[in-house]
Amino acid sequence: MLKPGEFYQRDRERQPPALTRDYKTSVSRSPQYSLISLQNSVSEITGPTFGHNDIDPLDKDLIYNYAKPGESAIGERIILHGRVLDENARPIPNTLVEIWQANAGGRYRHKKDTYLAPIDPNFGGCGRTLTDENGYYYFRTVKPGAYPWRNWVNNWRPAHIHMSIFGTAFCQRLITQCYFEGDPLIPKCPIVNTIPDPEAIEQLVAKLDLNGTIPLDTIAYKFDIVLRGRRSTLFENRLEGN
Amino acid sequence: MPQKLDYLPETASQTAGPYVHIGLAPGAAGFDIYKQELGWDIAGPNARGERIRVEGIVMDGMGSPIKDVMLEVWQANADGNYAHPEGGGDVEDGFRGWGRVITDFETGEWGFDTIKPGTCPGRNVGPQAPHLNLWIVARGINIGLNTRMYFEDETEANAKDPVLNLIEWERRRATLIAERTERDGKTVYRFDIKVQGEDETVFFDV
């Protein structure tokens, strides 16, 4: 029988490096020394587990989860859905997916956001859910607006939803951002362009999914997430060093 | 052309940005939405072992506190078991071993209450000294930073720890060791993290 072994090493040529000068904030927040590469121990191959007691079914419906009774968030109604998979293309069931985003006008409900677009009284901007047994998840929300940010004088973030995913091991932990197909701001964004590999950027762009829509009601975008995969141990291998 | 390998590549990371609190700690962003926020209770009420508090600051390359950082901690219980099917053994009812903490927006100070973990097995030779696994995200951090916190009073175990010993530069090992202090009869470990600059904290590619 194949036993699950270590996780595949993270492909650092596809992931953004720490220092990316065009995203200015990274300059003083990037370690200068190399990361110390660590082979997996029990500390890395384990990670927190979550259950349905931790969350509420309404948490995944951002149109209603902060709305007053009888009201709903303003904006283009979307379903964001997809699967959480590992690098072996196996679904990751029961894993926590958390999202946060600006409202349809590009304004965050956060005391530090001072952009002049108004707060939507019926929109909080966060949601969370657990993947089902097939690794599938979905959220209902509004499409976030683009907004300006201080980097160069005239930078605009493409519409995006922040996503946080756990997997089964702490070494799979990932936070990323989901963009939307066809947005002309994507290739101009210094945060997007921290990623050196064009295919890795494409993988962050949710695809319009007309088959996933609810006709006359809500449009859909599909966004699959891939977390690190594990090798199976075919042979007991002698572990070198530590 | 040789055959294709059919692995999927890992999704690329992006910064958590300045508004990470909206999603992961909405109370701190200034609004109340979830019945319960996750990650504030690491050890639960039944955990054995020494109750401790861990506090610190995350500093940037200029020595200024990073005030919009979020840390997550993952740890074993006092027996050295993680709350996971492959975690080595049972844990107390209510022990999750995972926590999430953000900083004070004015000072950059963070802190959490937990229990001191036990030693856990290493990969091959000998056990690992008690440690907390930490993951740090913030605006300007493109991919989460993994580090570990060890305990000052575990001199003997630390000296044999396989991960600390992997760090070639002995003086850098000290960046992972928290200072033990007492306050109002409680044990407080101080662990400042320097993302860049002099005495930069050791970060791992795990």
Side-chain angles (χ1 to χ4, degrees):
Chain A
M1 187 183 144
L2 298 181
K3 282 191 294 185
E6 290 178 285
F7 283 81
Y8 302 136
Q9 130 182 317
R10 186 163 252 163
D11 186 348
R12 293 280 170 181
E13 289 173 352
R14 263 182 125 260
Q15 292 289 349
L19 174 61
T20 46
R21 291 197 174 275
D22 285 346
Y23 175 28
K24 293 181 182 179
T25 314
S26 77
V27 174
S28 65
R29 296 184 170 192
S30 44
Q32 308 281 289
Y33 292 117
S34 301
L35 303 175
I36 308 275
S37 293
L38 216 56
Q39 289 173 287
N40 291 171
S41 75
V42 66
S43 300
E44 288 79 36
I45 66 165
T46 58
T49 49
F50 300 93
H52 289 280
N53 291 337
D54 290 315
I55 58 174
D56 191 277
L58 189 62
D59 290 351
K60 62 176 172 294
D61 189 348
L62 285 74
I63 288 184
Y64 291 101
N65 71 5
Y66 198 71
K68 295 182 195 73
E71 299 185 18
S72 63
I74 290 174
E76 183 181 344
R77 295 158 63 88
I78 65 167
I79 289 167
L80 179 69
H81 71 150
R83 290 201 299 161
V84 179
L85 305 165
D86 70 14
E87 289 172 295
N88 298 314
R90 280 195 280 258
I92 305 181
N94 302 314
T95 197
L96 182 65
V97 181
E98 297 163 290
I99 66 171
W100 66 100
Q101 63 168 98
N103 68 21
R107 174 77 184 267
Y108 285 97
R109 182 178 288 277
H110 192 291
K111 48 184 159 193
K112 298 269 184 194
D113 189 0
T114 54
Y115 181 38
L116 51 79
I119 290 279
D120 177 350
N122 289 307
F123 187 69
C126 62
R128 56 190 185 180
T129 190
L130 290 167
T131 57
D132 71 10
E133 64 276 15
N134 301 312
Y136 178 75
Y137 75 89
Y138 67 96
F139 291 95
R140 179 161 64 177
T141 184
V142 294
K143 193 170 173 190
Y147 59 86
W149 61 297
R150 287 171 190 277
N151 187 64
W152 299 322
V153 164
N154 190 20
N155 276 124
W156 293 77
R157 291 301 329 275
H160 64 277
I161 295 180
H162 296 266
M163 305 193 77
S164 158
I165 314 100
F166 279 82
T168 60
F170 206 51
C171 73
Q172 289 177 302
R173 191 81 181 82
L174 184 74
I175 283 182
T176 189
Q177 299 181 29
C178 160
Y179 303 96
F180 294 90
E181 183 180 4
D183 189 336
L185 291 170
I186 295 172
K188 304 208 176 292
C189 177
I191 290 179
V192 172
N193 289 329
T194 60
I195 300 169
D197 183 327
E199 283 181 21
I201 292 176
E202 276 177 33
Q203 201 181 344
L204 292 187
V205 182
K207 177 110 179 133
L208 173 67
D209 177 11
L210 275 180
N211 292 344
T213 59
I214 303 170
L216 305 176
D217 181 329
T218 307
I219 203 165
Y221 285 89
K222 177 174 168 281
F223 189 71
D224 286 341
I225 297 152
V226 181
L227 302 182
R228 290 167 69 184
R230 293 176 84 164
R231 63 173 57 93
S232 302
T233 49
L234 304 176
F235 304 99
E236 291 297 328
N237 68 324
R238 201 178 81 79
L239 304 178
E240 294 289 339
N242 56 83
Chain B
M1 282 284 279
Q3 295 186 11
K4 272 195 165 169
L5 296 173
D6 50 7
Y7 299 110
L8 303 176
E10 186 193 17
T11 298
S13 167
Q14 292 269 265
T15 178
Y19 305 125
V20 60
H21 319 94
I22 294 175
L24 307 183
F31 67 110
D32 196 20
I33 182 164
Y34 293 142
K35 246 181 350 202
Q36 56 170 341
E37 291 193 14
L38 297 172
W40 56 273
D41 187 7
I42 300 171
N46 305 311
R48 293 179 299 277
E50 187 185 3
R51 296 270 157 183
I52 60 170
R53 183 165 176 80
V54 179
E55 293 178 350
I57 264 184
V58 181
M59 273 171 279
D60 69 12
M62 326 255 190
S64 302
I66 301 183
K67 296 174 183 173
D68 47 17
V69 78
M70 184 194 80
L71 292 95
E72 286 186 359
V73 54
W74 174 238
Q75 68 164 97
N77 73 356
D79 301 326
N81 297 332
Y82 285 93
H84 186 273
E86 296 173 78
D90 291 338
V91 296
E92 301 87 341
D93 195 26
F95 179 87
R96 179 171 261 157
W98 171 79
R100 183 179 264 174
V101 66
I102 58 149
T103 70
D104 183 288
F105 288 156
E106 303 301 318
T107 63
E109 288 272 348
W110 53 266
F112 55 82
D113 295 307
T114 185
I115 56 104
K116 193 175 167 191
T119 57
C120 68
R123 244 178 90 76
N124 197 10
V125 294
Q128 305 187 70
H131 64 276
L132 306 179
N133 305 285
L134 297 170
W135 188 69
I136 301 159
V137 296
R139 178 173 63 102
I141 294 179
N142 291 326
I143 181 165
L145 297 170
N146 290 92
T147 187
R148 287 181 170 205
M149 187 196 106
Y150 288 84
F151 298 83
E152 179 186 49
D153 47 314
E154 296 284 344
T155 322
E156 226 172 282
N158 290 343
K160 292 186 204 151
D161 181 80
V163 169
L164 286 174
N165 280 303
L166 202 60
I167 303 165
E168 188 183 334
W169 309 272
E170 283 183 41
R171 69 179 290 249
R172 295 203 68 205
R173 296 175 193 169
T175 66
L176 301 186
I177 296 175
E179 180 193 2
R180 184 182 172 108
T181 59
E182 301 275 329
R183 190 193 313 139
D184 306 328
K186 277 185 71 177
T187 303
V188 180
Y189 286 91
R190 180 79 196 179
F191 190 60
D192 290 333
I193 297 168
K194 293 178 179 162
V195 163
Q196 185 191 90
E198 200 180 341
D199 291 323
E200 180 178 302
T201 300
V202 169
F203 297 102
F204 296 105
D205 189 9
V206 298

